[in-house]
Amino acid sequence: MNWQITGLVAVAAVVLGYLLGSIPFGLILTRMAGLGDIRSIGSGNIGATNVLRTGNKKLAAATLLLDAFKATAAALAGYYIAGPEAGLLAGFAAFLGHLFPVWLGFKGGKGVATYIGVLLGVAPLWVLVFAAVWLAVAFISKYSSLSALVAMLVIPVALWIVGEEKIALIMAIMTVVSWWRHETNIRRLLAGTEGKIGQKG
């Protein structure tokens, strides 16, 4: 795999990825559905989990898919235009765009869906590993947030072990940033107050 990229191409990949990633689908969809500003309810987050708090499961699922696919689209566009390194950079920028969209005062989502989207774009088979870890942890713990946190921790370690160092490094950075964005979830997990899968209220 040819991992060479010029400065100009790198900048273009980052700009493209960031712009795609910063599209706030959760906010757009809820407003189109007449549900108001998603930032005014629940956690104030624009991601699928907070959209689900509106009670509209279809809208939440659509948000999840669109947030993932915008990162996949960025990664694939970068790849086909300028190669794998540009794809990785574009995907990473899309992830950051989702978390810190300039249009919303840099207050975006927590990054799980876009994390999966980047993985789908740069190393698609590893999405199955992510899913397997998520399902295993969810089955044992019943915590969706913990499942995502563990899966995001496993992916870069596993990628590094099999020799995909550059992808592993970017995914590791994304893991750290997403864990930081999940600070409140981690606090609730440690306190035993985090809501479980299927739990109401």
Side-chain angles (χ1 to χ4, degrees):
M1 200 177 269
N2 182 20
W3 290 98
Q4 294 182 352
I5 187 171
T6 65
L8 185 59
V9 171
V11 171
V14 168
V15 171
L16 170 66
Y18 180 84
L19 291 176
L20 281 172
S22 63
I23 300 172
F25 283 114
L27 180 62
I28 292 171
L29 292 176
T30 49
R31 280 186 171 173
M32 288 177 63
L35 298 174
D37 192 333
I38 188 64
R39 295 170 296 176
S40 66
I41 69 169
S43 65
N45 195 275
I46 63 169
T49 300
N50 206 40
V51 173
L52 186 60
R53 293 189 174 99
T54 66
N56 194 318
K57 294 181 180 180
K58 291 182 179 179
L59 217 56
T63 301
L64 179 68
L65 290 174
L66 288 170
D67 281 346
F69 289 151
K70 68 186 181 184
T72 304
L76 292 178
Y79 177 85
Y80 285 113
I81 292 171
E85 199 162 49
L88 189 56
L89 275 177
F92 177 58
F95 172 80
L96 293 179
H98 176 71
L99 269 66
F100 311 106
V102 64
W103 337 107
L104 304 179
F106 302 102
K107 296 178 181 179
K110 296 182 180 180
V112 177
T114 45
Y115 186 103
I116 297 169
V118 173
L119 196 60
L120 182 61
V122 302
L125 292 179
W126 287 86
V127 172
L128 298 177
V129 177
F130 186 102
V133 174
W134 192 97
L135 288 170
V137 177
F139 179 78
I140 295 169
S141 71
K142 309 302 181 186
Y143 289 115
S144 176
S145 57
L146 180 62
S147 303
L149 290 168
V150 173
M152 286 190 287
L153 189 63
V154 167
I155 289 297
V157 174
L159 282 166
W160 186 273
I161 290 173
V162 301
E164 294 286 359
E165 290 91 352
K166 290 193 175 182
I167 298 177
L169 177 60
I170 294 298
M171 300 309 293
I173 294 171
M174 290 167 57
T175 294
V176 171
V177 176
S178 190
W179 270 56
W180 169 62
R181 292 286 287 151
H182 279 84
E183 179 188 1
T184 54
N185 300 89
I186 293 171
R187 288 179 182 273
R188 288 196 296 266
L189 284 167
L190 293 174
T193 57
E194 178 78 334
K196 292 188 176 184
I197 297 171
Q199 179 179 328
K200 295 183 179 181

